[in-house]
Amino acid sequence: MMAGTLILLADAGWDVHCMNVSTGNLGSLILSPADTAQARRAEAQHAARSINATWHPSICNDLEVFYDDRTLRRLAALVREVDPSIVLTHSPQDYMEDHMNTARLAVTATFARGVPGYRSVPPREPVQTAVTIYHASPHGLRDGLRRRVIPEAFVNTTTVQERKRTALACHRSQRDWLDKTQGMDSYIATMDEFAQTLGSMSKKFRYAEGWRRHLHYGFSDEHADPLKDALKGRYLLNARYARALEAGL
């Protein structure tokens, strides 16, 4: 849901960092959890290298991504260490609790980046860099109650879609798991389908990724939109979304 945007940022000269909060250790019908986690780690590292991103190790296991003190302190340490000005994370609404909890953790860990009295684990000094948080489109482009989730902005990923396919293909151990447990005939074809649907919604791009900005309080100036500044003509605001915000829809 976000590799195309990460590739475009890296191409534009940004330092890109990737972290899967979960090890993915339960994502196999064949391998043991320990072997699955080892395979997923190698695949994630390969995928990060393919898009010129710095990889960071996971801190939880599958179905154990909880909004708790231990996880939050560890994630806050990473945010302080990287000191980002853009954070890309999951949608607050998704089909899986691990994804939604990751979104909550990312928001609070980023908020805590500059709070002097908050102890991260391991200890890291607070940072005060302004940061904007963007939530990706959910898997399936719908929330847990099947409602369509409309993006605030579209990023044109057409020219990097093949590189996005290559990055996703690095996660080869997921293919059989997704086919057999979630009916995703081919996870790369499914990714393309999502990107084509978002491109059609933009009414301008062939392939796209969708983003929504988190509320700015505690993070940045109200009007900050660094993705727009970084990606320029590849970034398209959705006027329909803006009207819905003002109408309270």
Side-chain angles (χ1 to χ4, degrees):
M1 309 309 296
M2 63 179 72
T5 301
L6 291 171
I7 292 169
L8 291 171
L9 286 170
D11 287 353
W14 286 65
D15 291 327
V16 173
H17 294 255
C18 290
M19 180 191 190
N20 299 327
V21 172
S22 172
T23 63
N25 68 313
L26 300 183
S28 177
L29 297 174
I30 302 170
L31 299 175
S32 70
D35 288 343
T36 302
Q38 184 176 5
R40 291 287 180 87
R41 179 186 178 99
E43 291 166 353
Q45 289 173 314
H46 187 191
R49 285 194 298 271
S50 78
I51 63 171
N52 298 315
T54 299
W55 174 85
H56 296 273
S58 305
I59 57 176
C60 298
N61 285 323
D62 273 348
L63 301 182
E64 297 177 18
V65 181
F66 301 126
Y67 186 84
D68 61 13
D69 182 71
R70 172 186 172 276
T71 308
L72 189 57
R73 291 187 188 277
R74 295 181 69 184
L75 195 56
L78 178 63
V79 174
R80 289 176 173 180
E81 180 180 322
V82 172
D83 193 12
S85 52
I86 292 175
V87 169
L88 307 179
T89 189
H90 284 283
S91 170
Q93 309 88 16
D94 208 320
Y95 81 104
M96 187 178 180
E97 290 292 330
D98 278 359
H99 296 185
M100 294 187 287
N101 285 338
T102 295
R104 291 186 65 200
L105 288 161
V107 169
T108 306
T110 304
F111 186 90
R113 77 198 183 286
V115 179
Y118 187 75
R119 271 188 313 104
S120 66
V121 178
R124 295 289 184 268
E125 289 297 314
V127 295
Q128 301 297 334
T129 303
V131 58
T132 303
I133 299 174
Y134 296 83
H135 295 283
S137 294
H139 186 89
L141 312 182
R142 296 179 183 274
D143 68 13
L145 296 176
R146 309 187 308 281
R147 293 171 296 199
R148 178 73 81 187
V149 174
I150 305 300
E152 175 185 10
F154 301 94
V155 169
N156 182 4
T157 60
T158 305
T159 62
V160 299
Q161 195 68 16
E162 186 56 41
R163 292 164 66 189
K164 184 176 175 180
R165 294 185 190 107
T166 298
L168 185 57
C170 293
H171 298 273
R172 54 182 55 88
S173 69
Q174 285 193 291
R175 181 169 188 168
D176 287 344
W177 166 256
L178 292 172
D179 286 354
K180 292 173 181 175
T181 64
Q182 298 178 34
M184 294 172 59
D185 180 39
S186 166
Y187 67 154
I188 294 177
T190 299
M191 181 268 289
D192 275 346
E193 180 184 342
F194 294 162
Q196 288 175 323
T197 299
L198 287 164
S200 296
M201 290 169 66
S202 78
K203 302 188 186 328
K204 185 174 183 180
F205 308 136
R206 181 181 179 189
Y207 294 105
E209 291 173 353
W211 296 100
R212 291 180 292 166
R213 279 180 295 170
H214 197 85
L215 190 65
H216 66 284
Y217 296 130
F219 302 105
S220 66
D221 176 79
E222 179 180 1
H223 302 292
D225 194 351
L227 266 188
K228 178 182 178 182
D229 298 336
L231 301 181
K232 299 181 170 49
R234 295 180 179 272
Y235 184 90
L236 178 67
L237 285 169
N238 183 0
R240 174 187 172 190
Y241 184 91
R243 289 193 297 269
L245 281 181
E246 294 307 312
L249 301 176

